Structures are given as structure tokens and as C-alpha cells.
Amino acid sequence: MAGKPDTARPNTGAGGGSNRPALSLHVPEPYYRPGDAVDFSHVTVTTPGDQPRPDENCHPDETVGLTTDLIRVLGDDNMPHGPWDPKLSPDTLREMLRHMAMTRAFDERMYRGQRQGKTSFYMKCTGEEATSISAAMALASDDMVFPSYRQQGVLVARGYPLIEMINQIYSNRGDKLKGRQLPIMYSSREHSFFTISGNLATQTPQAVGWAMSSQIKGDSRIAATWIGDGSTAEGDFHAACIFATVYNAPVIFNIVNNQWAISSFSGFAGAERTTFAARAIGYGMAGLRVDGNDPLAVYAAEKWAADRARANAGPTVIEHFTYRAEGHSTSDDPAAYRSAQERDEWPLGDPVMRLKDHLIALGEWDEERQTALDTECVTEVKRVTKEAEKNGILGHGLHHPFHTMFEDVFEDLPWHLEEQAAQAVHERKTKFPEGLPK
């Protein structure tokens, strides 16, 4: 009745007389802040070779222990150990090292170009090269890749021309995407590289859908997708996992846990509670957690998951435990939220250096050849960059014709868009009769 006190719900709030303990909200906190001493004691570095390697066709339950372990192959002696050793030939290892050196040289040049005002935006993958290059080399060249925005190494490994990447970054008249994508959001149907989306995690359900389509057609191609640790908190990721499990989709979920989602540490995505690979358990998927800075371990894990998917044994989640050595992007200052010494103190090292040291330990490489390789890559990237700059840079005016903004959506442009296009071009010419201002 109106005006009568609600006696059905007792007052249990603060000061309400309840003898229950007060609840408190838990807010994750990084282990240390800028200015604090770097302490990676919470990172468990396992012994290389100690992790078992189940059969690719095993029941997902057999991988449960591997979701909280850390698969490692290369030891402190720079030699491979244990059942996960992929036994790659020296030529394959040298090819992998070359792709990593080229990707690192490309990153440095494009970063410098952004600082020079030649493009608006760039994202480096320094320290994470193995998570894309080693993984890509373990896949078939026509397996469909659904990347996030730090997998430029996949394109390098698949032989995509550097000039096409630079044209896209500069959004110039040579850009095959016609300036419609943000810099570094590449796309290449010929290289089975699906268009990158700036809306994080959307690529995961797309990958599952593509994989299911491959099943329906009776094809042999599988899908692999990449996502950051922070993006695993998106609903799209969980929807993708459900569909992948229910339909036994031939897809690999590569979670690149580089410890930071822009300026938020991985605890905000759930890393305080368990590993990201452990999320596979709840969905009934196979799961692996791998040292993302060990190129051999990454290759072995990706190959295991690819063979599993191709044998109709189902999807796999792989957590690549790595470290983002640089800022999130050219718009980010990591010194504002993490110690400057973190990169040097990271206990799992640098993937390029570890692969180089492995080849040297095998007697198949030396420091002189490494120096020559680095110089060769820097020279090649510089040459291609100058060639791409002939097509224009940011604000240069060398862009695709204005009318192209109306193209490539409809097979036949509707009449009302034709009218809008004609009107827009007319107004543009009227405002700038001598052409766009320089």
C-alpha cells in the first residue's frame, strides 16, 4: 500500500545494522608503475622441453595442462629441446630470420616516416615478430588469415610487395585500397590476407564463418585469426569461440598476449585470474600456451593446431606469451604507464636475437652475416620507400580521383549516387578551379 515501508527487503547497506562483511570492488593494479623497479618475478619461465606434446587428434581435455604451462623449445644453450622441436632445416630458419629482419627494418622506416609527417599513423610489432612470421610459415600459403593490426610479418612472410604496403600506409595514388582504410590496415585477396578492421575482435567471428564455409564446400583450407589480450574481453571473441566449438570449425585463435592493451595491462582482460589459453577449456576447445618469443615453439604450436584443424579435429586457442617492446602506436607514449626498463628486463628475450643465436649455435650463421642481412634489409626498405613516395605522401595531393569514393560498393552505381558524385565533383572544381591547394 502507498506510504507503507517495504519490509520485504531488509536494509543491508552501509550502516544498515547488518552483521555481514561489507563488499569491496576489486580493481586490477599493474605490478609496478613508471619509476618503480622492474620486477618480472610473477612470470614463470618454464624449462624448455618439459612440456608434453599430445597427438594432434587428441581430445581437448588432453591439452588442459598446456593452457597454463608454457611451451618452450629453445634453451639457454640456444639449442632445441623436447618433443615440440619442429626440426626445421637451416635454410628454413634462415628464411624465417630474414623475414624478421625485413619486418623490423620496415617498422623502423615507417615509424620514421610518420614522425616526418609522411603518414598519419603507424604501429610497430617489435618484439612480437615470431607471433606472426613463425606462425605464418607453419600455415599453408593459401590458408586464410584474419589478422589484427600488428601482423605485418604475415604479409612479409607471404611475399606481399613492400611497395604495396607503403602505398597503403601513405594512402597515395598507388594505394590499392584507394585511401579507404587507415594506415597499416592492409588487405590482399591474392595472399589470403583478409582486410584488417579497426574495430577490434570483429575478425574472430569472420574467421570462424570463413572456416565453416570451407567445411561446407569440402575445401582443405583452414582459417587463422589473431587478436590481442585486451580484445579477448570483447563479445565478438566469445561468440566466435561458441560457433567454432559447436561446428568444429577448422580455425586457429592466436591470442597475442603482449602484456598491454594500449595503456591497460592484461589484468583488465582477466590475466590476474588465469591464462588466456585457459579460456579454451570452458568452450571445449584445445588450448596451448606458448613462449611467443621462441620462434621454434611458435612454429611448432601453430603447425600442431593447423594439422589438427585440417584433420577435422576442431579449433585451437594459442596464447602467444610475449612482450610489446614499443608503444602501442605512434600516438602512444608508453613511458606514461610502464617503466622504461621493462623491455630490457623481459625474461623471455627478443625473438630475432634468439633465432640468430640458435643459427650461430648450429654453426649455420655468424655475426658478420647478421650485420650484412640487417644492412641489406635496411637498404631494400629505403629503396622501396623512395619508389612509393613517387606516388605521394600525406598531404601531397597525389591521391585517387575524387569519383573513386563512390566506386566498388555497387556493381552498377544507383542513379542517386551518380547524381551525388557529379554534384560533388562539380562543387569541388568550382571551389578549387586550379586544383587542390598544395
Side-chain angles (χ1 to χ4, degrees):
M1 294 176 61
K4 215 174 176 184
D6 183 1
T7 57
R9 178 177 295 179
N11 183 1
T12 57
S18 172
N19 61 358
R20 299 176 184 173
L23 298 174
S24 61
L25 177 68
H26 172 70
V27 179
E29 281 286 338
Y31 292 96
Y32 44 84
R33 298 282 187 178
D36 295 340
V38 177
D39 180 12
F40 280 118
S41 60
H42 62 283
V43 175
T44 301
V45 180
T46 58
T47 302
D50 277 1
Q51 299 74 41
R53 185 186 184 280
D55 186 83
E56 292 94 337
N57 290 306
C58 71
H59 190 278
D61 287 351
E62 293 187 42
T63 68
V64 169
L66 292 171
T67 64
T68 53
D69 206 331
L70 189 65
I71 298 170
R72 304 183 73 217
V73 172
L74 286 175
D76 292 338
D77 58 356
N78 299 314
M79 296 298 287
H81 300 270
W84 286 95
D85 176 12
K87 303 187 185 306
L88 300 177
S89 70
D91 285 342
T92 300
L93 294 172
R94 279 189 286 266
E95 180 186 2
M96 187 182 293
L97 182 62
R98 179 179 180 79
H99 292 326
M100 289 186 179
M102 183 64 76
T103 301
R104 190 159 287 190
F106 183 83
D107 274 358
E108 290 296 331
R109 189 77 185 184
M110 293 299 98
Y111 179 87
R112 191 183 315 160
Q114 192 277 336
R115 290 300 191 239
Q116 293 171 342
K118 295 178 180 179
T119 185
S120 60
F121 184 75
Y122 192 73
M123 301 181 77
K124 300 170 79 173
C125 66
T126 309
E128 303 175 39
E129 289 89 351
T131 66
S132 58
I133 293 168
S134 299
M137 291 181 67
L139 298 170
S141 60
D142 61 349
D143 287 336
M144 184 59 81
V145 165
F146 291 79
S148 185
Y149 43 53
R150 222 184 295 273
Q151 277 71 57
Q152 53 265 51
V154 174
L155 286 175
V156 172
R158 289 190 168 184
Y160 189 63
L162 294 181
I163 192 169
E164 301 294 354
M165 297 174 70
I166 301 172
N167 284 336
Q168 196 281 324
I169 292 168
Y170 287 166
S171 297
N172 59 28
R173 64 185 176 187
D175 176 13
K176 288 185 174 180
L177 304 185
K178 302 181 181 180
R180 295 169 179 167
Q181 274 279 45
L182 287 170
I184 63 90
M185 294 189 178
Y186 319 101
S187 175
S188 177
R189 178 190 292 269
E190 297 77 16
H191 294 79
S192 299
F193 191 92
F194 200 81
T195 304
I196 296 175
S197 173
N199 299 315
L200 302 182
T202 59
Q203 69 271 23
T204 52
Q206 293 167 352
V208 174
W210 190 94
M212 291 169 59
S213 174
S214 187
Q215 289 174 304
I216 293 169
K217 293 185 295 185
D219 202 346
S220 62
R221 300 164 70 195
I222 66 171
T225 183
W226 278 255
I227 189 172
D229 51 279
S231 298
T232 62
E234 296 281 347
D236 280 344
F237 172 74
H238 298 280
C241 288
I242 286 289
F243 271 81
T245 304
V246 170
Y247 295 100
N248 210 44
V251 61
I252 305 170
F253 295 97
N254 292 288
I255 301 174
V256 182
N257 177 9
N258 62 17
Q259 315 305 312
W260 294 95
I262 307 184
S263 59
S264 298
F265 89 112
S266 58
F268 281 102
E272 283 186 340
R273 304 303 181 185
T274 188
T275 68
F276 291 100
R279 298 190 175 181
I281 299 172
Y283 294 105
M285 275 192 284
L288 306 174
R289 185 168 178 261
V290 63
D291 177 353
N293 287 20
D294 182 339
L296 271 63
V298 171
Y299 182 98
E302 196 78 15
K303 185 67 164 58
W304 186 94
D307 290 345
R308 179 179 178 82
R310 236 179 287 281
N312 285 312
T316 303
V317 170
I318 303 177
E319 176 187 349
H320 302 269
F321 194 71
T322 182
Y323 181 76
R324 195 191 76 212
E326 301 282 356
H328 175 74
S329 70
T330 50
S331 304
D332 176 42
D333 177 15
Y337 54 85
R338 71 183 192 189
S339 171
Q341 285 74 46
E342 275 197 24
R343 176 176 180 174
D344 297 329
E345 296 291 335
W346 179 246
L348 298 179
D350 177 274
V352 182
M353 295 303 102
R354 289 177 68 180
L355 182 56
K356 177 203 73 172
D357 292 341
H358 173 50
L359 274 164
I360 291 176
L362 292 175
E364 297 286 349
W365 201 244
D366 53 53
E367 293 290 353
E368 290 74 21
R369 279 189 277 184
Q370 182 65 42
T371 300
L373 173 62
D374 290 337
T375 301
E376 179 187 343
C377 290
V378 168
T379 301
E380 175 63 9
V381 171
K382 181 178 180 180
R383 182 193 68 80
V384 176
T385 301
K386 289 186 177 295
E387 189 67 26
E389 287 177 357
K390 295 177 183 178
N391 292 321
I393 58 176
L394 180 68
H396 194 279
L398 298 177
H399 305 296
H400 281 274
F402 185 70
H403 189 277
T404 60
M405 70 179 292
F406 293 92
E407 298 174 354
D408 302 325
V409 176
F410 298 95
E411 183 176 0
D412 297 308
L413 199 64
W415 65 269
H416 65 287
L417 291 183
E418 283 282 12
E419 286 188 356
Q420 289 181 26
Q423 181 181 7
V425 171
H426 173 74
E427 291 179 354
R428 185 180 174 89
K429 289 181 178 178
T430 301
K431 188 173 183 180
F432 302 110
E434 303 299 325
L436 285 176
K438 302 298 182 184

